[in-house]
Amino acid sequence: MAGPNIDDIDLQILGELQGDGRMTNVELARKVGLTAPPCLRRVRALEESGAINSYHAVVNPSMLGYTITVFAMVSLKSQAEADLKAFEDHIATLPEVRECYMLNGEIDFILKVVAKDLQSFQQFLTSKLTPAPNVVSVKTSLTIRTSKSLPGVPLPV
């Protein structure tokens, strides 16, 4: 049981949609052992509760010319809430930053950044990231390959 309002059938629905968000309601209902109308009601309830945040396509970056992915570890001068917010607001405007996580420890933020090539990443780094509000240092690591990339969370189904 995941939460007070999420039962085993809801977990099955979440697991199926996490694997294929484009399946029809009829197909989903068949897979979880329901008829279509109650299945659709459950999906809508999961959406309204926030258990399902969104649906999206997973795009192949290299097919669109984004050949490199870099993780940037950012340290800030100050961790005052206003300074953290200023940095996060700046990062929100940068489309190259695909993910941003605030961390506990020596590094304040880790960013997942995509770029078309090393030259465009260098331009991004020097013109948009290092001059960002409150940044004291940026350490980067270029990815070699992706060994695992799963959407969502593990579900006990």
Side-chain angles (χ1 to χ4, degrees):
M1 220 35 118
N5 298 325
I6 295 180
D7 62 17
D8 289 341
I9 293 174
D10 290 335
L11 287 172
Q12 287 180 317
I13 289 170
L14 291 170
E16 293 295 335
L17 289 175
Q18 202 169 245
D20 179 6
R22 288 191 57 164
M23 76 173 59
T24 67
N25 182 59
V26 171
E27 183 181 355
L28 177 62
R30 183 183 53 74
K31 287 187 174 201
V32 300
L34 294 174
T35 59
C39 184
L40 185 58
R41 280 194 297 276
R42 282 177 174 263
V43 170
R44 296 287 183 249
L46 289 165
E47 292 168 348
E48 290 170 11
S49 74
I52 296 174
N53 290 328
S54 67
Y55 299 90
H56 64 275
V58 178
V59 177
N60 182 336
S62 64
M63 293 293 292
L64 298 171
Y66 291 93
T67 62
I68 65 169
T69 301
V70 178
F71 286 92
M73 286 77 55
V74 180
S75 295
L76 303 180
K77 295 174 192 165
S78 164
Q79 289 73 34
E81 191 58 39
D83 294 324
L84 296 171
K85 175 105 172 70
F87 177 77
E88 290 171 322
D89 289 347
H90 176 73
I91 292 303
T93 69
L94 304 176
E96 300 91 342
V97 177
R98 304 313 298 168
E99 297 178 39
C100 174
Y101 299 93
M102 184 177 175
L103 303 177
N104 176 21
E106 201 172 307
I107 302 298
D108 295 307
F109 287 90
I110 188 165
L111 313 176
K112 179 182 176 182
V113 181
V114 296
K116 297 210 177 227
D117 52 37
L118 282 174
Q119 184 178 356
S120 62
F121 175 72
Q122 178 69 29
Q123 177 66 24
F124 166 81
L125 182 64
T126 58
S127 67
K128 296 180 181 177
L129 187 54
T130 54
N134 200 30
V135 170
V136 68
S137 74
V138 178
K139 297 176 183 173
T140 61
S141 290
L142 178 69
T143 63
I144 303 299
R145 69 173 163 239
T146 301
S147 301
K148 185 175 183 178
S149 178
L150 297 176
V153 297
L155 294 171
V157 178

